[in-house]
Amino acid sequence: MRLTTKGRFAVTAMLDLALRQENGPVTLSGVAERQRISLSYLEQLFGKLRRQELVASVRGPGGGYCLARDMSTISVADIIAAVDEPMDATQCGGKENCHDEHRCMTHDLWSSLSQRMFDYLNSVTLHDLMTQQRERTSHRVVLHERDARHAAPDAVEVQF
Amino acid sequence: MRLTTKGRFAVTAMLDLALRQENGPVTLSGVAERQRISLSYLEQLFGKLRRQELVASVRGPGGGYCLARDMSTISVADIIAAVDEPMDATQCGGKENCHDEHRCMTHDLWSSLSQRMFDYLNSVTLHDLMTQQRERTSHRVVLHERDARHAAPDAVEVQF
DNA sequence: ATAAAGTCGACTGAAATGATCGGGAATTGC
DNA sequence: GCAATTCCCGATCATTTCAGTCGACTTTAT
């Protein structure tokens, strides 16, 4: 499991989505502007996120992206795996770079290590990240209710 | 904290070192041969490991590398940080890519996330890896005593 | 002196990263 | 129907990193 800025961008963008989807679909251009990520790059990432069915898209004016599942069921590992595709980890599918008994050593070592890395990332959900972030900040939080899905009639400025 | 094959190579090589250093300094060409890693590449990695004082070098014939500290005080995080240098994690030292309050969100989010990744990797030592590996394998283990430092008079074949 | 080892720096090919561009297709509001 | 908005997709590109190579050098045991 690689941990690169690519995955970071994806998680950041997904968090932005999570925080704003109550007002309906969120446009990529909005995410791009707020998070300072190139729009075209976001399009690439969200193409993958959509194919992994982490987000759903709505075309046309007023369209954008929504989370495809409840945010408590979307883990950081899901997001990173979606954009960082291979997630190979062991690097030697039984072929070269490994030989004799040494093969097993390296192989088992890394698969167990990356398994635990994965387990951790898999245990952190988008919902956790939101909650965690809101607890940490002392900024004004206009939108504070946790389960009020349709509580915002107009555009609500969420500061976080 | 990045997790690449570079760091994997380094940890694999360090583990090889840990398993063989009782017979005196371990040559890089030996590590290269056993672990199938290019010698020149290993030289680069061990240059960094030496500058981070994780290993000590002995020049001349019969020379090689030894661990600079007890293997129970060398963590996987130490090794990866030594070769994967920046370990930046937040990617925005308060400069661009972050603005207004959004800056803090992304920043805190990733620093806390990568802090926990680091904590885990930092909790796994070379000694742990050796023990863990030996427990897992059912191969013959010639050198089995855990604290017998000078127990091997001759070249001892360690199978793992 | 010679050979065995580490040390250092420059260089390289290949891949991944991060981004740009251009042209689509779907959908809404008019 | 038409235009605007938005997602969709493919090609391309500059830069960085990865992984490895090469050559020259220093230290040291024999």
Side-chain angles (χ1 to χ4, degrees):
Chain A
M1 164 138 279
R2 270 176 304 178
L3 202 50
T4 77
T5 53
K6 192 178 194 171
R8 273 202 276 279
F9 280 165
V11 175
T12 301
M14 286 291 278
L15 183 54
D16 187 287
L17 207 65
L19 282 157
R20 296 179 181 270
Q21 69 165 358
E22 312 185 40
N23 310 351
V26 181
T27 67
L28 282 195
S29 47
V31 177
E33 195 175 304
R34 284 187 297 273
Q35 306 300 334
R36 298 286 158 89
I37 304 173
S38 121
L39 174 59
S40 302
Y41 196 38
L42 275 180
E43 284 178 347
Q44 286 180 30
L45 298 182
F46 273 76
K48 294 179 179 179
L49 292 171
R50 185 177 50 80
R51 283 186 281 275
Q52 294 296 317
E53 297 181 5
L54 296 181
V55 297
S57 62
V58 179
R59 289 175 149 196
Y65 282 96
C66 323
L67 298 180
R69 312 200 297 248
D70 188 273
M71 67 178 74
S72 62
T73 71
I74 299 179
S75 74
V76 174
D78 291 335
I79 298 170
I80 292 179
V83 299
D84 259 344
E85 44 217 78
M87 201 175 98
D88 183 307
T90 51
Q91 165 224 17
C92 64
K95 297 173 185 174
E96 49 215 347
N97 234 27
C98 292
H99 58 305
D100 305 341
E101 337 295 318
H102 295 279
R103 178 192 173 278
C104 301
M105 174 188 91
T106 327
H107 190 94
D108 290 355
L109 172 68
W110 285 110
S111 61
S112 101
L113 198 60
S114 69
Q115 182 61 45
R116 294 194 54 174
M117 304 280 294
F118 177 80
D119 287 346
Y120 168 61
L121 288 178
N122 203 39
S123 74
V124 181
T125 68
L126 266 189
H127 184 266
D128 294 336
L129 291 182
M130 277 183 57
T131 312
Q132 186 180 341
Q133 193 57 29
R134 284 180 174 162
E135 278 169 3
R136 181 170 302 141
T137 57
S138 54
H139 295 304
R140 62 211 144 103
V141 176
V142 179
L143 198 66
H144 202 29
E145 332 77 50
R146 196 158 296 173
D147 291 279
R149 290 295 158 84
H150 305 290
D154 288 313
V156 177
E157 270 304 301
V158 184
Q159 292 284 343
F160 51 89
Chain B
M1 163 138 279
R2 271 174 304 177
L3 203 50
T4 76
T5 53
K6 192 177 194 173
R8 273 201 277 277
F9 280 166
V11 175
T12 301
M14 287 289 279
L15 183 55
D16 187 286
L17 207 64
L19 282 158
R20 296 179 181 270
Q21 69 165 357
E22 313 184 41
N23 310 350
V26 181
T27 68
L28 283 195
S29 46
V31 178
E33 195 174 306
R34 284 188 296 273
Q35 305 302 332
R36 297 286 158 90
I37 304 174
S38 125
L39 173 59
S40 303
Y41 196 36
L42 275 179
E43 286 178 349
Q44 283 181 32
L45 298 182
F46 274 77
K48 293 179 179 180
L49 292 170
R50 186 178 50 81
R51 284 186 281 276
Q52 295 295 318
E53 298 182 4
L54 296 181
V55 297
S57 62
V58 179
R59 289 177 147 196
Y65 283 95
C66 322
L67 298 182
R69 311 200 299 248
D70 187 274
M71 69 177 73
S72 63
T73 70
I74 298 180
S75 73
V76 174
D78 290 335
I79 299 170
I80 292 178
V83 299
D84 260 344
E85 44 217 76
M87 202 175 97
D88 185 307
T90 51
Q91 166 222 19
C92 64
K95 297 173 185 174
E96 49 213 348
N97 235 27
C98 292
H99 57 306
D100 306 340
E101 338 294 318
H102 294 279
R103 178 191 174 279
C104 300
M105 174 188 93
T106 326
H107 190 94
D108 291 354
L109 171 67
W110 284 109
S111 61
S112 101
L113 198 60
S114 69
Q115 180 61 45
R116 293 196 54 175
M117 304 279 295
F118 177 81
D119 287 347
Y120 168 62
L121 288 178
N122 202 39
S123 74
V124 181
T125 68
L126 266 189
H127 183 266
D128 294 337
L129 291 182
M130 278 184 56
T131 312
Q132 185 180 340
Q133 193 57 30
R134 284 180 174 164
E135 278 169 3
R136 182 170 300 142
T137 57
S138 54
H139 294 304
R140 62 210 144 103
V141 176
V142 180
L143 199 65
H144 201 28
E145 333 76 51
R146 196 158 295 174
D147 292 278
R149 291 293 155 86
H150 305 290
D154 289 310
V156 176
E157 271 304 301
V158 184
Q159 292 286 343
F160 51 91

